[in-house]
Amino acid sequence: MTTSEVALLGIRHHGPGSARAVAAALAQWRPDAVLIEGPPEADGIVHLAAEKDLVPPVALLAHAVDDPAKAAFWPYAEFSPEWVAIRHAVEHDLPVRFIDLPAGYGFAPAPGEDAAPETAAEEGGSEEDGAEPAADPLALLAEAAGHDDAERWWEDVVEHRAPGGDALAPFAAVAEAMGTLRAEGLGGSRRDLLREAYMRQQIRAARRAGHQRIAVVCGAFHVPALERMPTVAHDRALLAGLPKKVRTDITWVPWTHRRLSQATGYGAGVQSPGWYHHLFTTDGDPVPRWLTRAADLLRAEDHPVSSAHVIEAVRLAETLAVLRGRPLAGLTETLDAVRAVLCEGSDVALELVRDRLVVGDALGEVPDTAPAVPLQRDLTRLQRSLRLKPEAAPKDVDLDLRKETDAARSRLLHRLRLLGVDWGVPARSSVNSTGTFRESWRLCWQPEFAVRIAEAAQWGTTVEEAAVNKAVGTARAAEELAELTGLVETCLLAGLSGALPAVMRVLADCAALDADVAHLAGALPALVRALRYGDVRGTDHGALAEAASGLAERICVGMPPACVGLDAESAAAMRGRLDEVHGAIGLLTAGTDTPADTPAGPAPDPDGLAGLADRWAAALRSLARREPAGGPATGAPGLLRGRAVRLLLDDGRLDSEEAGRRLRLVLSVANAPADAAGWVEGFLTGGGALLLHDPRLLALLDEWLTGVSGEVFTDVLPLLRRTFAGLEAGVRTTIGGRVAAGPLGEPPAAQAAAGELDRTRADAAVPVVALLLGVRPKIPRQAAGPDT
């Protein structure tokens, strides 16, 4: 709509049809200044759009200088009308200004509030307009036109429409429709009124600057408010109630199509950015080319798709469009054709097309000249030197820590995780390896990492410095011992030798004051795991070994009494701790249990670990003997006593005879059935194969179970079912066969010997077996005939 020297181009954000219309209108109108809905703070960096290294999708990131967590994004794709307007302005060397309400006002707390309200970009949505109107204007217009689907109607009348002879005519029609809606009472929020008042002020400023032909690109909903200008005093009165503007920094950051498709967080709610990109960048009929791309994708995934499939899919999409009364085949018709023809009805294959083509993994690029905090620049330098390119699509990477480059990559990823930037997350490797020299990661770059990097910049100007300071700060604020030991492990993985002394001091102080055995048991495994990386990563682990051995000694002393009087839930949690501590002590004392003596005397034990395994075994024996003689509160639960016996048995510190004796005592009539069932659960956890190797244990269990009364059996059944459900399927099947075959008191060899061998039937199978093996059969003489 043109009023004197101003052309108001009302658009729908991220719409390819609107983008094409804006390009045609600017070419026809030939403005001498371009005003765009967006944060005015970006005026100083908009010129970067002229650089070839600024590749959409990108976004403007604004954040409060004193609190980077207060941030907002304004994303732009290649098919965004605002991006088209920016590119037109910089290519024609025209002044371009953003005229929306400054982002600094959005970060400021409203009067009477303690925190800044959420900005539009944080809330997401298809427009960065703040609160949306009470009703959807497009839905009302579609309903007035007799359509029940607003998105399909908008695609038909705008997105699929090519610019006509008068490029400004579509904008005049949209402005008239929006003016009618607003005249009927469809108004915006108070924030919309403030934004529109500020936009009008900027239009007046452009006029005062002497510009004669001004193009304004803004959301179509705002056009009526900008078309009829109220007085300057009116707008000043509206803007007088704004809070004090917060000091703000702004820059360009890479964006992704996948983030554009999300309607929450920092997304924009564009459901099909990949399809929109194709519509905008393809000349002529977009459907055949898009279906060709879909066929290429499916072929790459081993789906049998031929050229004939593509031809039939194009015909089907066009036919569906005619049947549905649409001028052109849209995304709905195209996907229906893909499902029916290319995917042969498979929704799995169709979902692949949706993910890769309808949405896509396009990731934008930003030039080095864009403003950035020093931490971001250091990260960019490391990414290039280590050849780790950020990508939007998930990528699995296997690292060999014996190689210098891979070790440096591992340190970088661990440091970023410490800073809250989860670019890489540990993954399960496709290579079977139990060595500590291999790590597997899944890398996936997310646009919001730019905000987290800005937040982490308070800790330092380089990744290493920031990670060291963050680790020390986290250690000083930690309240749990397990959190500190986990932090120690992270520091070792990340190669933060500068943080370890401070973290270890805090750990030592916390461990000295913490008397809770459960806390100590939860902290030990992470500390012992950290020791494993000393050889591969070249770290000095003397202080770690000393701290770990100190924790282990205290656990050995405190574990048995800490297990007394626990309820079922606490006992289950303690069983997990018991297993973790057992594995940690086994790892800690590997090779140091019995140091070899030398002629000069006993072998040195610098870490003081010799004998720790014996002391832990003594603690397990003490726990196994703590039976509830005077009631459950006077002893350890059967779950923990049984687990202690099993751990001793697995380590060879208890023979099967003694284990059988203990099981016989537990299953006697003197013990409560519930306690006995818990003992059996603890004893069998981790594998029931010992019941097959020692049939006497299985016979004891069978005898006890068959002797339990019906009422008691109902009470212990859930425990028993849970116990046996945890066994391997093959073990359960074999146990069932043994019980069915009986007698259980005899070993399998004795059971086999009890049956007589039918030699005649056995010899009959010899020729067939020999033929299968390709050897000459040897038939015993007593079975041979007279001609043999």
Side-chain angles (χ1 to χ4, degrees), residues 68 71 84 119 124 133 222 259 420 423 695 722 759:
V84 171
T119 66
H222 304 299
R259 184 60 66 186
W423 175 24
R722 183 174 64 196
R759 292 187 174 275

Side-chain angles (χ1 to χ4, degrees), residues 1-2 7 9 19-32 34 84 88 92 94 161-172 213-215:
M1 183 65 184
T2 304
L9 307 181
R20 283 192 299 269
V22 166
L26 292 176
Q28 175 181 318
W29 175 246
R30 296 180 182 275
D32 59 2
V34 178
V84 171
H88 178 91
H92 292 81
L94 299 177
R161 180 184 179 278
D166 184 3
L168 296 177
F171 296 103
R213 299 175 69 83
I214 304 170

Side-chain angles (χ1 to χ4, degrees), residues 84-110:
V84 171
I86 291 172
R87 289 291 302 170
H88 178 91
V90 297
E91 288 174 0
H92 292 81
D93 199 21
L94 299 177
V96 55
R97 297 288 184 269
F98 290 100
I99 61 171
D100 204 348
L101 199 64
Y105 289 123
F107 300 143

Side-chain angles (χ1 to χ4, degrees), residues 696-759:
R696 291 169 297 181
L697 299 179
L698 181 59
L700 288 173
L701 185 60
D702 180 63
E703 180 181 358
W704 169 75
L705 189 58
T706 55
V708 172
S709 65
E711 182 178 351
V712 174
F713 179 79
T714 303
D715 294 335
V716 301
L717 180 60
L719 289 175
L720 294 173
R721 293 187 65 178
R722 183 174 64 196
T723 300
F724 282 91
L727 303 182
E728 303 88 339
V731 172
R732 293 199 303 269
T733 301
T734 307
I735 288 177
R738 290 278 180 86
V739 172
L744 292 176
E746 300 178 5
Q751 295 181 28
E756 295 183 0
L757 175 64
D758 189 339
R759 292 187 174 275

Side-chain angles (χ1 to χ4, degrees), residues 316-333:
L316 178 57
E318 293 173 347
T319 303
L320 289 174
V322 173
L323 292 174
R324 295 169 181 174
R326 305 192 67 180
L328 292 173
L331 180 60
T332 303
E333 290 73 29

Side-chain angles (χ1 to χ4, degrees), residues 38 111 143-144 346 395 494 501 515 527-528 542 633 677 720 754 768:
E143 183 180 358
S346 171
K395 177 182 178 182
L527 203 56
V528 173
L720 294 173
V768 178

